[in-house]
Amino acid sequence: MPGASRRKRRVRASLVLVTGLALILTALPVSALAGTALPRGFVYLRDADPTIVQDIRYAGSHNFVGRPVKGYLAAECILSDRAATALKAVQNTLAEKKLSLIVWDCYRPRRAVDDFLQWSKDPAHAEMKAEFYPRTDKQKLFALGYLATRSAHSRGSTVDLGIVPSPFSLPPRNPVLALKACTLPKGERFEDGTIDLGTGYDCLDGMGNTSNASVGEAALRNRQLLKSTMAKAGFRPYAREWWHFELVNEPFSQGFDFEVSPSSNGRPAR
């Protein structure tokens, strides 16, 4: 029958289309499949290595601003594909020592950088000073090099991170606890679960300088471990902040301003 023949042809055409689409999707790189909303060349870190612990501070209120930062709609680490691959190599090296990376910030939208700038000019908001910059004038944070009007984070290959034991679970955060100076010794400052690295993350103070001897020998050894392991994977450190690393061979020279949004696969970050 002519009608039946046409239906069979349509069915065959549909099967060919579906099969072809499946082959195309299979051939696509991780950067195209992991997060369909991301620009080409970017990935969600947990799609590259789900074992790396994430505690994305600027998506919440436990940071030097004291609130979620503009542009952070999800607690997700987004990086260039190249940077994520390099971090995976670091993680593999640390795993041999029963250690793991913990990332606190990755790609940072330009609007977040602008948010920091406006916050630094507002003397009315210093709610988190006692913990994150107890001895530093917030209006001098840019001049002192702790913040930048054009952040390398916006290029997608810069990360803020530390080292934690493996296996690891994030310590519970009690929002009613009093703030404790990030410069206090391990066990007295906020407990982020890291090995002793001398200060807390985002400690905008001279003690955060990578080679500051006042943090003690154990913390200096741990900082050197982090520095050397990251360097072997192609990252360079920043002398003022032991937690800050930039990929030397980064793929993008310009900054981006897309939002940090949830992954389309819906899996929560660790």
Side-chain angles (χ1 to χ4, degrees):
M1 295 176 64
S5 179
R6 283 195 296 271
R7 284 195 295 273
K8 290 180 180 179
R9 287 197 295 271
R10 286 197 295 269
V11 169
R12 284 197 296 270
S14 298
L15 289 174
V16 170
L17 179 61
V18 170
T19 302
L21 180 60
L23 290 173
I24 292 172
L25 290 174
T26 302
L28 285 173
V30 173
S31 59
L33 292 172
T36 55
L38 298 182
R40 188 174 185 83
F42 283 85
V43 296
Y44 288 92
L45 177 61
R46 58 189 168 88
D47 288 321
D49 191 332
T51 69
I52 297 176
V53 181
Q54 298 189 35
D55 180 16
I56 307 302
R57 294 289 187 86
Y58 300 145
S61 59
H62 188 216
N63 54 59
F64 61 85
V65 179
R67 56 166 172 76
V69 177
K70 290 181 180 178
Y72 287 82
L73 304 184
E76 290 281 2
C77 174
I78 296 172
L79 287 170
S80 70
D81 204 342
R82 192 178 298 173
T85 300
L87 280 194
K88 182 177 178 66
V90 175
Q91 183 74 344
N92 290 340
T93 299
L94 290 177
E96 298 174 359
K97 300 178 173 64
K98 299 187 183 302
L99 298 170
S100 168
L101 289 174
I102 179 171
V103 294
W104 293 299
D105 192 38
C106 303
Y107 158 73
R108 181 184 303 167
R110 283 196 300 256
R111 71 192 71 184
V113 179
D114 293 340
D115 196 9
F116 290 156
L117 179 59
Q118 296 306 313
W119 167 84
S120 72
K121 296 177 179 179
D122 182 3
H125 291 287
E127 294 88 348
M128 306 300 284
K129 178 177 176 61
E131 179 170 346
F132 292 96
Y133 52 106
R135 304 184 295 194
T136 308
D137 182 347
K138 66 174 284 187
Q139 293 182 311
K140 296 181 180 179
L141 293 177
F142 280 85
L144 292 172
Y146 295 120
L147 299 174
T149 54
R150 291 187 179 183
S151 174
H153 281 276
S154 298
R155 300 196 296 268
S157 298
T158 294
V159 289
D160 292 345
L161 44 69
I163 297 176
V164 295
S166 182
F168 176 82
S169 295
L170 286 172
R173 170 67 175 159
N174 187 341
V176 302
L177 290 179
L179 298 179
K180 299 179 180 179
C182 58
T183 53
L184 289 172
K186 179 76 171 174
E188 297 181 34
R189 62 179 181 263
F190 171 77
E191 181 53 69
D192 55 13
T194 61
I195 61 176
D196 188 6
L197 289 158
T199 72
Y201 166 57
D202 255 359
C203 190
L204 309 179
D205 186 274
M207 286 183 66
N209 293 7
T210 302
S211 59
N212 190 318
S214 67
V215 299
E217 292 184 7
L220 283 177
R221 284 196 302 270
N222 290 336
R223 288 182 180 185
Q224 180 57 38
L225 170 64
L226 178 61
K227 180 180 176 181
S228 62
T229 308
M230 291 291 288
K232 288 178 182 177
F235 289 90
R236 61 170 166 259
Y238 178 48
R240 290 183 183 273
E241 299 173 348
W242 59 258
W243 55 85
H244 179 107
F245 293 87
E246 301 177 20
L247 187 67
V248 175
N249 188 24
E250 59 181 326
F252 302 112
S253 59
Q254 81 281 10
F256 293 82
D257 195 36
F258 62 90
E259 293 174 316
V260 178
S261 57
S263 170
S264 60
N265 64 29
R267 290 178 300 165
R270 290 183 63 188

